[in-house]
Amino acid sequence: MSYLADDARQELLDAIAEAIDELGVALAALGDAYEQLDEHSADTLESELFRPVQVAYGRAQRTYGAFAARYRLRSRSFEPVQPGRPSTGVKGFLEQAVEQVGFAEQSLAELQDSLRPVEVGDPELRAGLGEVRSLLADLAPRAERFVSRFGR
């Protein structure tokens, strides 16, 4: 295995880690919003927003870990994000979550568009990234619908 291939794989892995970090911030923000809601609204937030991001976060971590293991790359763990300030409010937390998911999705889209996952020849990686993106694809409109119903 060439030094250049190892470097390219490590750079790819590091880029995936950045997207995972962004998803971690989004999850924390959604959790913070959940804590400020009544039971019905919290259940709705959990099913429509939190759960898809949580599944995407888990899938991204599995994709990251499996890719690192296959090529014996240097990997890291992902620590939970500290809670935000309650004064941010539900709407502020939701905006933060949508923004972070957008950053993560954009990072993953740029990776896929760059063809680097194809160049390293790893179909499992490409499938994992595609699955994560599909889980995140319509989060912003779902969050908008949730906010529009919030408080009614």
Side-chain angles (χ1 to χ4, degrees):
M1 192 171 308
S2 75
Y3 181 73
L4 293 176
D6 287 343
D7 285 348
R9 287 184 179 117
Q10 188 64 54
E11 287 175 13
L12 183 57
L13 190 67
D14 293 343
I16 295 166
E18 289 177 26
I20 293 169
D21 286 336
E22 291 159 346
L23 292 176
V25 172
L27 274 178
L30 290 169
D32 290 338
Y34 178 92
E35 294 299 322
Q36 295 187 8
L37 293 169
D38 63 80
E39 186 175 342
H40 174 71
S41 296
D43 289 345
T44 302
L45 180 136
E46 181 178 5
S47 66
E48 293 180 10
L49 302 172
F50 185 85
R51 195 168 299 129
V53 175
Q54 184 180 41
V55 171
Y57 181 71
R59 180 64 171 122
Q61 285 187 343
R62 283 190 305 279
T63 299
Y64 173 92
F67 181 69
R70 278 193 298 279
Y71 297 101
R72 295 182 179 96
L73 299 171
R74 183 182 68 255
S75 64
R76 65 180 183 85
S77 60
F78 298 93
E79 301 300 322
V81 176
Q82 296 299 314
R85 294 183 180 154
S87 62
T88 301
V90 172
K91 187 175 179 184
F93 286 130
L94 292 175
E95 288 170 354
Q96 180 185 21
V98 168
E99 180 179 57
Q100 292 300 309
V101 165
F103 290 153
E105 205 279 329
Q106 181 62 35
S107 296
L108 296 176
E110 288 172 6
L111 279 178
Q112 288 179 310
D113 291 347
S114 74
L115 298 179
R116 289 183 352 201
V118 174
E119 291 167 358
V120 299
D122 195 301
E124 292 90 357
L125 175 69
R126 292 192 308 272
L129 295 178
E131 185 180 343
V132 170
R133 287 192 62 208
S134 71
L135 289 164
L136 302 174
D138 64 343
L139 186 84
R142 283 186 278 154
E144 280 184 32
R145 282 191 303 275
F146 180 83
V147 168
S148 73
R149 295 186 314 250
F150 179 67
R152 290 185 186 180

